[in-house]
Amino acid sequence: MDSLGIGLIGTGFMGKCHALAYGSVKAVFGDVPDIQLEVLCDVPADKAEALGNQFGFARSTDNWEDLIADPKVDIVCITTPNKVHKEMAMAALDAGKHVHLEKPMALTLQDSTAMLELASKTGAKTIVGYNYLHNPAIAHARKLISDGAIGRIVHFRGMVDEDYQADPDLAWTWRATREGAGLGTLGDLGCHLISLAVAMVGPIESLIAETKTVHVTRPMGDGSDEHRPVENEDIASALLTFANGVHGVFSTSRSAWGRKSYISFEVHGTEGMITFDQERMNELRLYQNKGPLSEQGFKTLLSGPAHPPYGQFVPAPGHQLGFNDLKVIEANELLRAIQDDRPAVPSFSEALHFEEVIHAIAQSGATGKPVKL
Amino acid sequence: MDSLGIGLIGTGFMGKCHALAYGSVKAVFGDVPDIQLEVLCDVPADKAEALGNQFGFARSTDNWEDLIADPKVDIVCITTPNKVHKEMAMAALDAGKHVHLEKPMALTLQDSTAMLELASKTGAKTIVGYNYLHNPAIAHARKLISDGAIGRIVHFRGMVDEDYQADPDLAWTWRATREGAGLGTLGDLGCHLISLAVAMVGPIESLIAETKTVHVTRPMGDGSDEHRPVENEDIASALLTFANGVHGVFSTSRSAWGRKSYISFEVHGTEGMITFDQERMNELRLYQNKGPLSEQGFKTLLSGPAHPPYGQFVPAPGHQLGFNDLKVIEANELLRAIQDDRPAVPSFSEALHFEEVIHAIAQSGATGKPVKL
Amino acid sequence: MDSLGIGLIGTGFMGKCHALAYGSVKAVFGDVPDIQLEVLCDVPADKAEALGNQFGFARSTDNWEDLIADPKVDIVCITTPNKVHKEMAMAALDAGKHVHLEKPMALTLQDSTAMLELASKTGAKTIVGYNYLHNPAIAHARKLISDGAIGRIVHFRGMVDEDYQADPDLAWTWRATREGAGLGTLGDLGCHLISLAVAMVGPIESLIAETKTVHVTRPMGDGSDEHRPVENEDIASALLTFANGVHGVFSTSRSAWGRKSYISFEVHGTEGMITFDQERMNELRLYQNKGPLSEQGFKTLLSGPAHPPYGQFVPAPGHQLGFNDLKVIEANELLRAIQDDRPAVPSFSEALHFEEVIHAIAQSGATGKPVKL
Amino acid sequence: MDSLGIGLIGTGFMGKCHALAYGSVKAVFGDVPDIQLEVLCDVPADKAEALGNQFGFARSTDNWEDLIADPKVDIVCITTPNKVHKEMAMAALDAGKHVHLEKPMALTLQDSTAMLELASKTGAKTIVGYNYLHNPAIAHARKLISDGAIGRIVHFRGMVDEDYQADPDLAWTWRATREGAGLGTLGDLGCHLISLAVAMVGPIESLIAETKTVHVTRPMGDGSDEHRPVENEDIASALLTFANGVHGVFSTSRSAWGRKSYISFEVHGTEGMITFDQERMNELRLYQNKGPLSEQGFKTLLSGPAHPPYGQFVPAPGHQLGFNDLKVIEANELLRAIQDDRPAVPSFSEALHFEEVIHAIAQSGATGKPVKL
């Protein structure tokens, strides 16, 4: 494989993150195909052009369909608002392109299912932006679990919070609508935690949940007295049953003051425990029932070259990876999947399960009834 | 009031803790009645005598009814196994004594209710050993909340864990039986967390829960192959609705490796957050949406004289209270209630609510149905 | 030995701490002599009487010489201001009493040396209030070191800070004078850290130091414009050479905002490291170069019954000892030394070394020259 | 300015870091000149070619003089072993190129001084790889200090440790020699801490120090019994006097088990304290003597867009920068200096002071005498 061309739609938070990732993935990993940053798409055209120049893309456009149609584009990165994910991803797949899609896949499960079906037909590689999965600390947690370091898993608890919707005076936006944003904190944050829960314990089978809108209306932010309703949840919690019988607890809030990127979980085993918090993403905490009681305790494992692929970034331990580095590992995963003609992980297939779970939580929250997946 | 005589039944973990508390409460607080350690009861008699001497009691006995009948005993401290709490407490109340009872009140809610009814009739003062409530850090959290420091409360999460039942090879004991112990982790640990949840947010109105027995049988520990069933729960989790509409999450495990006295919670408000963990019982963490964004962050408040009654123990901040000090504050609360002829907190009345909640969790866990309190 | 009578001089911070300790040491430890709280001394007499009643002493006095002369007093506890330590301790020794003295021993090394000489002659037991030495976590650190858990010791660093003199506007007191207080932060805080350094590494042989007075004058606090000079140091730092060749670093400040009881050190060995901070006095951190690199990390050891004598206070791990509990262990050490007719540790002999070190630091700070001990 | 060409000498730890930084600095910051990765140099030639391809350089060479002579190269990045820094930097300056040099500048102060002199003559921009200075958390600490957030600075303490030379069995290498490596831990780690000390407090005027070689010989690692001497220090500590009179403490070890990238310091002021640890590089801890005592405590400030230039990387707080991101900010600083024709910081001029300090520490350690700078 000589080289792969990248077309990136969107230039916001995750758009820039993708641009940086594809700009450095070859330098970081080496043994992946060469990358050409071909086309950047945003509106208006001059913004696309300016950022195309900044990010190092060869061309820019304000027409995403042109980007997808571009013969030099092999991988289409979609980082636009959730409500247009489906249309763009379907078009890219139809055009025979690989798809690197930001999460969540779509606003509804029907849409996500349709996307997965199409991807299965085309044989293109897909990956969804569950970037926290790619943390070397998380990879090491999975390895420890599969090596039996904490015995049989018996319990999982996870929490994911931010505070971007904590301020009661924050103005109403499309984020507050079902039509614009779909789910609330579940779609923004909750699905990330589910991706980690599944990585640690396995698929989820059933659940019962509660959801809560903390700020039921928001001011229009235009100086008027008008308030509009917030249609989606600020907080959601659930009791989970995993397919292997493990009982779990899940909770998320987008209105949790002080929490900036709090993705925290604990995995309880019959011989130990693992805990993690994304706000200290280079640390894994491990307790093992081993050795004399007087020397048992939680051990803080600082990420290092012993935790691949950390060493691709820095050859010395404890030097810290950052948020943007996770996207580089994610891009690497897609490139290798293409190179080796095997599925990337998490593809649309795994991602669909994560999103089934958050929709099930929303449904259970609305109905007060348990949901089986 | 000249002085109050103490009769203590039980000399184990909490028995010694009570002995130490009543032995020092006057020295610590000063303006409480004098204390006389009158009678210590345990079986056999020589153990009671030896420990009576060690703990500084005037007399000892192996007959708890004699202790209760002793005219010099004003306060009966009950630290025996849960299943005899009711009989002893009822007898003490019948004898007109004040009762300092370890938690949980009894094995069943019917028993606890009967105890509360009798206490209401006699007019004696009662207090139940929800000792974590008496931490100056917790008192300060309550003050912050009632002062509005974190705005309107919108969410609560709590976890309480230990690992004394984590080892799969641990031998079967009466703790594993409904008849001997009643509830499992809910009775041992869960009720403490409920006491804190109620202190932070208010009474609980309804819930849905799951319970799990991790180790379904245990070996007899006698070298034989025999295993007996574990009849009560190792893990329990619940989604809570407080009377004021706040949504909460609760989870407890007695099989959580590495957790030694983990009683951890977070209170989310519209203007800030408070978090606490009993394993660092001298620290309260506070986030407030105040001042420039660049200087916002969780603040660690180290307990000190600014957090009464810390200063009764040490006049300098940061010097650390310990577990046993909480029981001294609890004893002080009962003594002041007697002195001022007002209810102690938490009396049988508050404790009954805590225990209604854990029984409701057990019931919901057994039936899979929500429970209204 | 039937019982030992206690005479306590002083009722302030450490006075109350002693009263609580001797009031509970028998109950906590059991196999020590019975304790009788005989005489409490303070001025004026009514204060002594009131606090004698509160603390449970049989008698009170405003004349410390009477206390020492009291035939029922076997142990004289001295918790008065530093400048009267010598006179009281010498008198107590002359009267054949055991002495439990708060640190530092005296204002000058000459005085301390005289006190040690007299103690050696009388054969009485002495102990000096280096209470942090008695922390089970510290005892465990010593055990780990002597067991070789971190290999050969190669480096020590310690810091001890509080902030009681941090405020520039704080009023001038006798604490600021050479005559009243002797040393500044070295006498208040520094000597505690030296006691821990010696416990971890061994005696100190030479050093070079700097001292600094941050607030060179202080207002009189009487509304006037008058300021008086601060005669002793707010900050002191030193490079230490231990007798075994280990190089160490020492620093202390009584003007360190935010530090409430920060006594922090790290011991570097050829196979691991131990760190400790008194503000989290129930935690010891241990790193060992053992096992796979991917699982190496600092382990947090929560104090528990595996770390004697923690279990005398609470039979369950992680439940937390407090500051006052350390004095109980210290009292226990003295009682056992008396019972077994062996020296208590740290007696005047060990304490003299600690204080030689802080005086050497002060001397080096004043002269800018290294000091050999 | 149309664009700037990069020539990079060295492809190891810091070489790759530079390649990544110059590969993404335009994408991250936008308003800097375009970057062309022109020439990569390493030996042998095929390694240079392979890595040149991986890192995205247009050409490669095994001859660093050719790289410097290349007319398309505007900035020469030097990441080779310390002992060739001088020759390469002088050649680059002679050729009129800007120089981005890894620390330390050279093996001796004479060499560094010569380099600074030449740089002053050519007018080229220079920057030295004191990358930790560019952390947004550090920038914010500086801002807080200059805004008076912690009052007048009165004390500084810093420690910098790793454990790459902790293992007694580690084989001898050129790092152990004066000729190959110059200083030991002072050159590798110590100078980073000095750069931060100076950033926080200002230049250093005098010091007294001790140095220690923990492992005085090392095995050859070839199976033989031969050991060779370690000629430079494993540990160094110093008492510092800053030009403004502030007293400081400094300590460094390259043999500190468990420390992976521990660059830790605390700045004491008359109204507060700031602390930092590079192993948690996205956190700054701030204590201020403000507001009620009961709510005072150390606040953990998680880096975010309120701490520029964090927001160039991620628009949401708490998402974490990594080690490699600091080099991007450093590259940005050099590019802006070139663009605006102003000195970069830290140029050879500031770096020379940092290195004067570590050489003074080494000298004082060797002679036992204070050194004035």
Side-chain angles (χ1 to χ4, degrees), chain D residues 251-273:
Chain D
S251 191
T252 178
S253 172
R254 64 183 181 187
S255 299
W257 277 120
R259 299 281 166 76
K260 304 305 177 182
S261 184
Y262 185 72
I263 313 177
S264 167
F265 64 79
E266 48 189 64
V267 187
H268 299 218
T270 51
E271 297 173 28
M273 190 186 295

mmCIF file of all heavy atoms in Angstrom, chain D residues 251-273:
data_model
loop_
_atom_site.group_PDB
_atom_site.id
_atom_site.type_symbol
_atom_site.label_atom_id
_atom_site.label_comp_id
_atom_site.label_asym_id
_atom_site.label_seq_id
_atom_site.Cartn_x
_atom_site.Cartn_y
_atom_site.Cartn_z
ATOM 1 N N SER D 251 17.110 19.696 44.984
ATOM 2 C CA SER D 251 17.667 18.345 45.091
ATOM 3 C C SER D 251 17.299 17.537 43.856
ATOM 4 O O SER D 251 16.193 17.652 43.329
ATOM 5 C CB SER D 251 17.153 17.652 46.366
ATOM 6 O OG SER D 251 17.870 16.466 46.614
ATOM 7 N N THR D 252 18.240 16.744 43.401
ATOM 8 C CA THR D 252 17.987 15.924 42.215
ATOM 9 C C THR D 252 18.651 14.565 42.347
ATOM 10 O O THR D 252 19.718 14.434 42.939
ATOM 11 C CB THR D 252 18.484 16.619 40.936
ATOM 12 O OG1 THR D 252 18.247 15.735 39.815
ATOM 13 C CG2 THR D 252 19.971 16.927 40.977
ATOM 14 N N SER D 253 17.978 13.559 41.789
ATOM 15 C CA SER D 253 18.564 12.220 41.740
ATOM 16 C C SER D 253 18.155 11.529 40.449
ATOM 17 O O SER D 253 17.014 11.629 40.021
ATOM 18 C CB SER D 253 18.099 11.379 42.931
ATOM 19 O OG SER D 253 18.520 10.034 42.765
ATOM 20 N N ARG D 254 19.117 10.823 39.865
ATOM 21 C CA ARG D 254 18.771 9.977 38.721
ATOM 22 C C ARG D 254 18.654 8.526 39.175
ATOM 23 O O ARG D 254 18.510 7.631 38.357
ATOM 24 C CB ARG D 254 19.817 10.122 37.614
ATOM 25 C CG ARG D 254 21.210 9.640 38.004
ATOM 26 C CD ARG D 254 22.240 9.864 36.896
ATOM 27 N NE ARG D 254 23.553 9.375 37.281
ATOM 28 C CZ ARG D 254 24.659 9.552 36.578
ATOM 29 N NH1 ARG D 254 24.629 10.228 35.440
ATOM 30 N NH2 ARG D 254 25.819 9.058 36.995
ATOM 31 N N SER D 255 18.714 8.314 40.464
ATOM 32 C CA SER D 255 18.682 6.961 41.038
ATOM 33 C C SER D 255 17.575 6.839 42.059
ATOM 34 O O SER D 255 17.738 6.195 43.091
ATOM 35 C CB SER D 255 20.040 6.661 41.687
ATOM 36 O OG SER D 255 21.074 6.718 40.733
ATOM 37 N N ALA D 256 16.442 7.444 41.769
ATOM 38 C CA ALA D 256 15.335 7.524 42.728
ATOM 39 C C ALA D 256 14.217 6.602 42.275
ATOM 40 O O ALA D 256 13.350 7.000 41.488
ATOM 41 C CB ALA D 256 14.854 8.967 42.830
ATOM 42 N N TRP D 257 14.230 5.381 42.793
ATOM 43 C CA TRP D 257 13.240 4.384 42.377
ATOM 44 C C TRP D 257 11.807 4.899 42.451
ATOM 45 O O TRP D 257 11.381 5.424 43.476
ATOM 46 C CB TRP D 257 13.341 3.133 43.245
ATOM 47 C CG TRP D 257 14.402 2.189 42.786
ATOM 48 C CD1 TRP D 257 15.482 1.763 43.495
ATOM 49 C CD2 TRP D 257 14.473 1.541 41.501
ATOM 50 N NE1 TRP D 257 16.238 0.898 42.730
ATOM 51 C CE2 TRP D 257 15.643 0.740 41.515
ATOM 52 C CE3 TRP D 257 13.675 1.576 40.350
ATOM 53 C CZ2 TRP D 257 16.024 -0.024 40.401
ATOM 54 C CZ3 TRP D 257 14.052 0.821 39.256
ATOM 55 C CH2 TRP D 257 15.209 0.028 39.294
ATOM 56 N N GLY D 258 11.089 4.715 41.372
ATOM 57 C CA GLY D 258 9.666 5.065 41.360
ATOM 58 C C GLY D 258 9.400 6.416 40.745
ATOM 59 O O GLY D 258 8.286 6.702 40.323
ATOM 60 N N ARG D 259 10.424 7.227 40.699
ATOM 61 C CA ARG D 259 10.273 8.543 40.110
ATOM 62 C C ARG D 259 10.550 8.432 38.612
ATOM 63 O O ARG D 259 11.641 7.993 38.212
ATOM 64 C CB ARG D 259 11.240 9.536 40.783
ATOM 65 C CG ARG D 259 10.969 9.688 42.284
ATOM 66 C CD ARG D 259 9.787 10.590 42.521
ATOM 67 N NE ARG D 259 9.222 10.573 43.856
ATOM 68 C CZ ARG D 259 9.741 11.151 44.937
ATOM 69 N NH1 ARG D 259 10.899 11.766 44.871
ATOM 70 N NH2 ARG D 259 9.112 11.122 46.089
ATOM 71 N N LYS D 260 9.591 8.795 37.803
ATOM 72 C CA LYS D 260 9.703 8.594 36.364
ATOM 73 C C LYS D 260 9.944 9.912 35.640
ATOM 74 O O LYS D 260 10.700 9.977 34.680
ATOM 75 C CB LYS D 260 8.438 7.918 35.836
ATOM 76 C CG LYS D 260 8.091 6.600 36.519
ATOM 77 C CD LYS D 260 9.231 5.587 36.487
ATOM 78 C CE LYS D 260 8.867 4.314 37.236
ATOM 79 N NZ LYS D 260 9.961 3.337 37.270
ATOM 80 N N SER D 261 9.257 10.939 36.087
ATOM 81 C CA SER D 261 9.508 12.267 35.532
ATOM 82 C C SER D 261 9.076 13.261 36.583
ATOM 83 O O SER D 261 8.265 14.140 36.364
ATOM 84 C CB SER D 261 8.736 12.470 34.227
ATOM 85 O OG SER D 261 9.060 13.730 33.669
ATOM 86 N N TYR D 262 9.647 13.080 37.749
ATOM 87 C CA TYR D 262 9.243 13.837 38.927
ATOM 88 C C TYR D 262 9.990 15.164 38.931
ATOM 89 O O TYR D 262 11.167 15.224 39.245
ATOM 90 C CB TYR D 262 9.595 13.008 40.157
ATOM 91 C CG TYR D 262 9.136 13.574 41.479
ATOM 92 C CD1 TYR D 262 7.794 13.557 41.830
ATOM 93 C CD2 TYR D 262 10.048 14.086 42.379
ATOM 94 C CE1 TYR D 262 7.380 14.045 43.059
ATOM 95 C CE2 TYR D 262 9.642 14.569 43.621
ATOM 96 C CZ TYR D 262 8.312 14.544 43.952
ATOM 97 O OH TYR D 262 7.914 15.020 45.177
ATOM 98 N N ILE D 263 9.290 16.212 38.526
ATOM 99 C CA ILE D 263 9.849 17.557 38.578
ATOM 100 C C ILE D 263 8.858 18.330 39.426
ATOM 101 O O ILE D 263 7.788 18.703 38.965
ATOM 102 C CB ILE D 263 9.974 18.195 37.186
ATOM 103 C CG1 ILE D 263 10.612 17.215 36.201
ATOM 104 C CG2 ILE D 263 10.774 19.490 37.257
ATOM 105 C CD1 ILE D 263 10.711 17.762 34.780
ATOM 106 N N SER D 264 9.228 18.515 40.650
ATOM 107 C CA SER D 264 8.277 18.947 41.653
ATOM 108 C C SER D 264 8.801 20.195 42.341
ATOM 109 O O SER D 264 9.985 20.272 42.658
ATOM 110 C CB SER D 264 8.142 17.793 42.654
ATOM 111 O OG SER D 264 7.495 18.208 43.806
ATOM 112 N N PHE D 265 7.936 21.170 42.515
ATOM 113 C CA PHE D 265 8.406 22.330 43.271
ATOM 114 C C PHE D 265 7.271 22.979 44.031
ATOM 115 O O PHE D 265 6.093 22.718 43.757
ATOM 116 C CB PHE D 265 9.113 23.357 42.363
ATOM 117 C CG PHE D 265 8.240 23.994 41.329
ATOM 118 C CD1 PHE D 265 7.365 25.024 41.665
ATOM 119 C CD2 PHE D 265 8.285 23.566 40.013
ATOM 120 C CE1 PHE D 265 6.562 25.612 40.688
ATOM 121 C CE2 PHE D 265 7.475 24.145 39.039
ATOM 122 C CZ PHE D 265 6.619 25.168 39.377
ATOM 123 N N GLU D 266 7.666 23.814 44.969
ATOM 124 C CA GLU D 266 6.701 24.604 45.720
ATOM 125 C C GLU D 266 7.259 26.004 45.894
ATOM 126 O O GLU D 266 8.446 26.183 46.143
ATOM 127 C CB GLU D 266 6.386 23.946 47.070
ATOM 128 C CG GLU D 266 7.589 23.513 47.869
ATOM 129 C CD GLU D 266 7.248 22.676 49.094
ATOM 130 O OE1 GLU D 266 6.722 21.567 48.930
ATOM 131 O OE2 GLU D 266 7.532 23.135 50.210
ATOM 132 N N VAL D 267 6.375 26.978 45.716
ATOM 133 C CA VAL D 267 6.740 28.376 45.851
ATOM 134 C C VAL D 267 5.940 28.938 47.014
ATOM 135 O O VAL D 267 4.709 28.940 46.971
ATOM 136 C CB VAL D 267 6.430 29.165 44.566
ATOM 137 C CG1 VAL D 267 6.971 30.590 44.677
ATOM 138 C CG2 VAL D 267 6.988 28.468 43.342
ATOM 139 N N HIS D 268 6.646 29.388 48.044
ATOM 140 C CA HIS D 268 5.988 29.907 49.238
ATOM 141 C C HIS D 268 5.921 31.438 49.160
ATOM 142 O O HIS D 268 6.950 32.087 48.949
ATOM 143 C CB HIS D 268 6.788 29.553 50.496
ATOM 144 C CG HIS D 268 6.961 28.092 50.770
ATOM 145 N ND1 HIS D 268 6.914 27.558 52.035
ATOM 146 C CD2 HIS D 268 7.185 27.036 49.948
ATOM 147 C CE1 HIS D 268 7.121 26.246 51.979
ATOM 148 N NE2 HIS D 268 7.287 25.908 50.726
ATOM 149 N N GLY D 269 4.749 31.979 49.338
ATOM 150 C CA GLY D 269 4.600 33.428 49.349
ATOM 151 C C GLY D 269 4.001 33.902 50.659
ATOM 152 O O GLY D 269 3.519 33.089 51.459
ATOM 153 N N THR D 270 3.994 35.205 50.842
ATOM 154 C CA THR D 270 3.443 35.745 52.097
ATOM 155 C C THR D 270 1.921 35.655 52.145
ATOM 156 O O THR D 270 1.320 35.873 53.190
ATOM 157 C CB THR D 270 3.841 37.226 52.282
ATOM 158 O OG1 THR D 270 3.512 37.932 51.071
ATOM 159 C CG2 THR D 270 5.318 37.371 52.565
ATOM 160 N N GLU D 271 1.303 35.334 51.022
ATOM 161 C CA GLU D 271 -0.162 35.209 51.024
ATOM 162 C C GLU D 271 -0.664 33.900 50.440
ATOM 163 O O GLU D 271 -1.871 33.724 50.249
ATOM 164 C CB GLU D 271 -0.783 36.391 50.266
ATOM 165 C CG GLU D 271 -0.485 37.706 50.938
ATOM 166 C CD GLU D 271 -0.931 38.921 50.139
ATOM 167 O OE1 GLU D 271 -1.891 38.782 49.368
ATOM 168 O OE2 GLU D 271 -0.307 39.988 50.275
ATOM 169 N N GLY D 272 0.241 32.969 50.154
ATOM 170 C CA GLY D 272 -0.227 31.710 49.596
ATOM 171 C C GLY D 272 0.908 30.824 49.162
ATOM 172 O O GLY D 272 2.086 31.119 49.413
ATOM 173 N N MET D 273 0.577 29.744 48.511
ATOM 174 C CA MET D 273 1.581 28.796 48.026
ATOM 175 C C MET D 273 1.115 28.181 46.712
ATOM 176 O O MET D 273 -0.079 27.996 46.481
ATOM 177 C CB MET D 273 1.818 27.684 49.045
ATOM 178 C CG MET D 273 3.035 26.810 48.677
ATOM 179 S SD MET D 273 3.291 25.356 49.734
ATOM 180 C CE MET D 273 3.649 26.132 51.294
#
